[in-house]
Amino acid sequence: MTQDTIRFEEGKPCPVQVAGTGGGLSISANGDMLLIGSIPNPTEEQIAAWNGKWRAKLITESEFPAIPIFAIGSEDWILEAPCNPCDNEKEAPGFCEALYAKDDVTMAAILVDSETGLIRKIKQVPLDEMFIERLVLSWNPFRYEANDYNKSFTAQEFAQKVGDIFKMRSSRELWMTSW
């Protein structure tokens, strides 16, 4: 049996299908984080910012898993990365424990031109230990199928809830009120 590996290379087509634009975050069963940012025709300034300093925060809403949000290069470019822990658990069981157990968490950040599907920039982004701890604590209750003791969200419920959050406040407002 052969095992296919996915390779990301600047200037090459992105091997992962990206639907729409914005940020998509996934976490593997061994706790590796991957962010794919898909934007139309990234400018040289955006590519330079992607390679710059990153900051991470969490948008928290009552009875909902925290949403990672990133300032890329400066606070002029804010990228949200909603991720449903229940869906992630189905794809990569045990990801929360693996993510929390890592000594140093580095996220692979891939910038994709949504018009061409080509990878424009790849950056390894170190993430703060406190950010990871808060993320895992927020996501743990939402990892499993809903029962009498917890509430998880189907993909449709999750998308609706995220849409409602972003209708109420802009990315800038969410960044300023996040921790």
Side-chain angles (χ1 to χ4, degrees):
M1 181 158 115
T2 63
Q3 182 175 359
D4 293 332
T5 57
I6 296 175
R7 293 183 53 126
F8 296 96
E9 294 181 49
E10 289 181 16
K12 303 278 185 185
C14 183
V16 176
Q17 288 296 97
V18 179
T21 60
L25 182 67
S26 66
I27 304 166
S28 71
N30 63 352
D32 293 326
M33 294 182 75
L34 172 67
L35 172 76
I36 297 181
S38 177
I39 65 167
N41 305 310
T43 65
E44 291 304 317
E45 292 80 21
Q46 288 173 314
I47 293 168
W50 196 269
N51 206 38
K53 181 180 178 180
W54 284 57
R55 291 191 306 152
K57 291 184 176 183
L58 295 171
I59 299 168
T60 57
E61 296 292 329
S62 176
E63 297 181 27
F64 192 67
I67 298 171
I69 186 170
F70 302 94
I72 303 170
S74 71
E75 291 185 5
D76 292 335
W77 187 3
I78 307 293
L79 183 67
E80 309 89 10
C83 181
N84 187 342
C86 186
D87 284 347
N88 204 338
E89 179 68 20
K90 289 176 195 168
E91 296 171 12
F95 77 93
C96 268
E97 290 85 357
L99 182 60
Y100 188 72
K102 285 190 169 283
D103 290 331
D104 295 309
V105 177
T106 302
M107 174 180 70
I110 314 292
L111 177 60
V112 176
D113 181 338
S114 64
E115 297 293 315
T116 64
L118 296 178
I119 296 173
R120 295 299 310 269
K121 197 71 181 162
I122 299 173
K123 168 135 177 133
Q124 296 296 323
V125 178
L127 295 173
D128 181 75
E129 185 178 318
M130 186 64 76
F131 171 80
I132 296 301
E133 184 176 313
R134 288 176 176 164
L135 181 69
V136 170
L137 286 172
S138 168
W139 283 5
N140 246 348
F142 301 102
R143 286 181 35 211
Y144 305 106
E145 293 294 325
N147 60 30
D148 292 341
Y149 303 102
N150 73 345
K151 169 70 175 139
S152 62
F153 298 88
T154 66
Q156 184 177 0
E157 289 170 328
F158 185 81
Q160 178 65 44
K161 182 75 170 166
V162 167
D164 291 346
I165 291 169
F166 289 105
K167 281 181 195 170
M168 290 187 289
R169 292 180 280 175
S170 70
S171 296
R172 172 99 27 239
E173 290 171 318
L174 289 165
W175 174 260
M176 299 308 244
T177 60
S178 298
W179 47 271

